Amino acid sequence: MLENVVANNGLNTAFSGMTIVFSGLVIIALAIHSFNYISAFVKKRGEANTAAGPAGETTPALAFMGKDLVPEDELVAISVAIELYRRLHFEHLQSEITFVHGELTNSGWKTGIKYGQRRSIPR
Amino acid sequence: MLENVVANNGLNTAFSGMTIVFSGLVIIALAIHSFNYISAFVKKRGEANTAAGPAGETTPALAFMGKDLVPEDELVAISVAIELYRRLHFEHLQSEITFVHGELTNSGWKTGIKYGQRRSIPR
Amino acid sequence: MLENVVANNGLNTAFSGMTIVFSGLVIIALAIHSFNYISAFVKKRGEANTAAGPAGETTPALAFMGKDLVPEDELVAISVAIELYRRLHFEHLQSEITFVHGELTNSGWKTGIKYGQRRSIPR
Amino acid sequence: MHVIFKIVGTTGFANMQWGNLIMIAVGGVAIFLAVVKKYEPLLLLPIGFGVIMGNIPYTPGLPLGVYDEGSVFSLIYKGVTSGLFPPLIFLGIGALTDFSSLISSPKSVLLGAAAQIGIFGTYIGALMLGFSNAESASIGIIGGADGPTSIFLSSQLAPQLLGPIAIAAYSYMALVPVIQPPLMKLLTTEKERKIRMKPPRIVTRQERVLFPIIVAIFAALIAPGALSLVGMLMLGNLLKESGVTDRLAKSAGSALLDICTILLSFAVGCSTQSAVFLNAKSLGIFALGLLSFMVATVGGLLFAKLMNLFLKEKINPLIGAAGVSAVPDSARVVQHFALHYDKDNHLLMHAMAPNVAGVIGSAIAAGVFIAIFR
Amino acid sequence: MHVIFKIVGTTGFANMQWGNLIMIAVGGVAIFLAVVKKYEPLLLLPIGFGVIMGNIPYTPGLPLGVYDEGSVFSLIYKGVTSGLFPPLIFLGIGALTDFSSLISSPKSVLLGAAAQIGIFGTYIGALMLGFSNAESASIGIIGGADGPTSIFLSSQLAPQLLGPIAIAAYSYMALVPVIQPPLMKLLTTEKERKIRMKPPRIVTRQERVLFPIIVAIFAALIAPGALSLVGMLMLGNLLKESGVTDRLAKSAGSALLDICTILLSFAVGCSTQSAVFLNAKSLGIFALGLLSFMVATVGGLLFAKLMNLFLKEKINPLIGAAGVSAVPDSARVVQHFALHYDKDNHLLMHAMAPNVAGVIGSAIAAGVFIAIFR
Amino acid sequence: MHVIFKIVGTTGFANMQWGNLIMIAVGGVAIFLAVVKKYEPLLLLPIGFGVIMGNIPYTPGLPLGVYDEGSVFSLIYKGVTSGLFPPLIFLGIGALTDFSSLISSPKSVLLGAAAQIGIFGTYIGALMLGFSNAESASIGIIGGADGPTSIFLSSQLAPQLLGPIAIAAYSYMALVPVIQPPLMKLLTTEKERKIRMKPPRIVTRQERVLFPIIVAIFAALIAPGALSLVGMLMLGNLLKESGVTDRLAKSAGSALLDICTILLSFAVGCSTQSAVFLNAKSLGIFALGLLSFMVATVGGLLFAKLMNLFLKEKINPLIGAAGVSAVPDSARVVQHFALHYDKDNHLLMHAMAPNVAGVIGSAIAAGVFIAIFR
Ligand code: NA
Ligand code: NA
Ligand code: NA
């Protein structure tokens, strides 16, 4: 059985392969580890200019993930229903490149944010 | 005109073809017909252990198909609105493979139900 | 530098190309321009048979585009929520070709409107 | 000035022929039927637009049309001629189709078989008109009233006739509400039309999961040539009914189905360049196609009446006409026609059973032809 | 130890060259522009990532890159070089684009024609720099400011330049807000910038349905080479506007468009391996591309002023700059620029008309080049 | 009667063999596991159905199966054998995967590396059983517990073994909850199982955007052969995390992923025709595959214990078992197992880090094999 391993230089290949896998992942681990310093640095800078930082970092989506604050009163239900209604009815429009008589709807398709437009697919 | 039919053995082909089509569908019909017995058998067994059976069989979706009971009072509207809100906002999350800081969201992607997780795309 | 332009008959190509582009777009402009007359004609005819015309022309979707009238009271919120609920729950059904025990759901897939069915994907 | 002449020489105006104008008008009619009459718009609209685009003339040599090696349209058309798109479309249709009505009334399956007489009858008719065996089979399949099946069989047996066969199939499917009622009137008595049928039983989830597996196995065993079509149709249905692969069923029944439908319909439309389309063969195909639909309808109706001779619980023979498939149009025609004679007799669900059985039947018929002629 | 040397020899470190490092940095810049500056992220992000991946070195012989026969990336790249992806992307864009503004003001179409002077001017410029006819045409089309059109023409006429042409086109499209305003300032008077235009009329559904059919027919008749691009763009638009094929329009404008965009952008990025990308030709292409955008802008602006000499109802010449397309960025630049001088003068809808006309114009220009040089 | 004999001769009944029946039963078991037991239904259901369809016998010569030149199924199968589907699936998976847990605890990456010992150990084992180098590598990769990686490597190195390798990989991934717990019990003390770990820190958006870029660069530099898999995985993740290309990430993670999954799984199933599947090699592959999963689990567990010798903040060695990937099943097994001994010790998030690191590790291992053996 072993002669096929020897003939194919198997142990060598296996050892080298395992080395490469480890090297690769160690380098990645080190790279990620350096993120922690970047992160700490960013945080420190963020603490310096208190108000500005967190707004930029915590995207709305993340806010939902973290807390999952779903408003539960009628008023909210109504506004949510309306929002959803529009979203479903205007879903098609939202992704239009141009404009339908006074409705300003953008596409995210070839879109910059230089001129105050909001992203068209707000999800 | 008919010589081309004869030359190509057309009647034979047509007859044989029609036979095959009928045979195939008759076999399928018989197979389906045997379902009725299976169905009757399952039903009988279901009546034996009364409560357990129907819960397993009638999936929620079927319940809706059969009766179309849509609750119509405000309370329901609110909860529905909230549910939809979450569904739209978390649509992306629902299909994530892993987890976002304390949010347990499963993907249905490579998913078993052995450990209490619910299916991620609940539709 | 210019000898390559001359050798390749460049000015000629550029001039001819620009001519073609202009001709093409002028023809299209003229064709569109003739729409205005068609449009005016259709309008006039529409005014003649007052009630019948606009109902046929202005699809619901267009009505929304034009006015964006979103009802804002509770009653509407409830009905909207219910509608959305059904739409999400029955989304799958809506696109089914056939029928589930008494639920008449059409697909738009190979669909005519000859027999009173409505389009299945109402968006 | 040499260049401008060369350019003008390449414009469509310089190469336009009468045939092109006729075909562009045909394309316009298809679009009109789709948009205004709402006849099969998902198919007739891209086909009609394709017919127009395929008949814009251009200097031969430019790689633009579906028949020009290396052109973009030829790459899309390869998805048709290789037979790839129809099974993928069937995968999507399977993910959208509910076979419950069929499961609850297995005897309706026979009506779906009977209507296939249209296919084999027209095959004989085409032989009579001098078409070859493979061509006749492809023409006969028009009576199967299933676009993907027709296109698949043509692509395998008679690719040169694919354009007219596809156009004929979809045209007559759109015209089912015109073709079928006279025959229904002719072949049924008023009493028969008023026969009411018991509501079908509710089928369990187990049955709906087992159904696609069993149908696929038996159909493929009986007619292995049907493997690609029936296999994919039932795979899609299994994805839908299993309840554990909803996301796959959803993508198969939306993105995949739609993309393949657009590309197939448009490419089929483009393949009707007047030079290859406008000839006596196409005319023959259209005549035979109409015959095929009529024979299929008659076959379904008469077989239903034959079954009634043996059945205790009579079936309404009108639902036999739904066996031609053309899902779900012919089932709707039956419903509408029956309502005319009894305002409370709703046959729609009963008609769906032979309707979807007809899809399976035609696919098996196609499989038979593939097995013999390939 | 033989094996470990063989493996180390295959790592990227062993084969890394300065060119690769430069290109990886370029890819990083593209990603930075996409993510932080939000410049054309849907295109620049996958392109940038592709540039990085395409410049990771590896032992020649391994089938990994877009130029290696049989590799996965080469299969994806075949979708670009065969010219398949751009028309499919146009199909999706058509299904998302609203041509109402153009229908309501047909004279704006001429502005979309005028801006194409950038294409033909740059074609001459490229000939001057010694490029061949086919290459010059592909470089000139950068001024069309439409990614799919540029990539399609390059793939047909000068595939060896596809990488730099695509990168240049998308880069300058991203930089439209930087390139256009100075020219607008230079070539218009303050009074002209304040010209207000009447709100466009409402277009009917009939017009919106007829529009894509008519445009496709005439564009393809005038320049059959534009068949693939204009045909697909208008098919998508017809699916959208017909009102009877919503599900097809939706899938074309979402799944199909997105998938083709990812694959095309990534593959184009991968094709910029430093060995084929970093040379004098690419530098020339970037210089000519900038020229092309500037000439196009000037052409649109001046032609608008020329039109005003003849029109009773003056148009605001700024909207001429939107004729370069780069939909919808250049229309936004116009809107923003005009607001600067009159806070209530909203030109966005007026600028959309030449903007989308420019797309059609460039596609026709590409068709002309294909007709001559292929 | 000649014809009817010819037709009967083409039916499956005439050509059925015992092997086919066995494989059809195997396909039925796969479907049962998928539908009733909900084991990996997205993969096992289409695979199981494919196994059944691939074992319906037919007259040789008919172009129906995946191995028949020109058949529809062979076109789909080409997407597998060309190696195209697996990277596209990885693109979609990347667009769905959250690497936050890995970013917040980089040392867990080493556990993902350690578990790859299963791959290389099994490679040696396969050599012992007499398989060739390329075959042994493809068999070893089963221990990577990533379907697309296994299929990709097999398609590149040992296409003739693709069927059994894919089936083995997915089967054992489904059986991870059965395979791993005994080994976890054997190799850890009760005290170790109760070790609690600090909650991971919150990672910033910057980190999540930079992560895929950096991983792709380093993985591809170290093992260029991993370019296709890791590159696509990280492209998908970048599309998701960038926050500016949501629509691309969504389409990649839904339509594209689903379509490729259906086609790949079905085609792989079809490739298990009993004539090529039922032999001693397949048996060996299944035995080695199980070995591979076990060695990988042991490797992860022991390496975690080894790390604890050096770490001040001890890690729970159970999370080492999650290094085999089989995302996210093996992480769930860890969570469940730990809860058994301490009701409040939630290891899920901690186990996700080696879990996703294992995906990257296996892709690098595959890259190494490609570099050596191709
Ligand atoms: Na049929
Ligand atoms: Na343009
Ligand atoms: Na792994």
Side-chain angles (χ1 to χ4, degrees), chain B residues 61-62 64-66 68 70-74 76-78 80-81 83-84 87-88 123, chain C residues 74 77-82 84-86 88-93 96 100-103:
Chain B
L62 275 174
F64 278 109
M65 287 174 207
D68 199 358
V70 180
E72 306 216 33
D73 57 294
E74 281 190 30
V76 170
I78 292 166
V80 164
E83 185 202 338
L84 290 166
R87 197 172 291 196
L88 281 169
R123 179 181 42 81
Chain C
E74 281 189 28
I78 292 165
S79 66
V80 165
I82 291 167
L84 290 165
Y85 186 75
R86 302 184 101 192
L88 281 170
H89 275 285
F90 294 128
E91 184 191 23
H92 195 60
L93 294 184
E96 274 173 6
V100 180
H101 291 289
E103 271 292 317

Side-chain angles (χ1 to χ4, degrees), chain C residues 20 98 100 108 110-111 115, chain D residues 7 38 40 42 98 336 352:
Chain C
I20 299 270
T98 58
V100 180
K110 297 210 238 145
T111 292
Y115 295 107
Chain D
I7 295 175
K38 307 228 164 80
E40 305 269 2
L42 297 173
D98 188 321
H336 182 72
M352 283 314 297

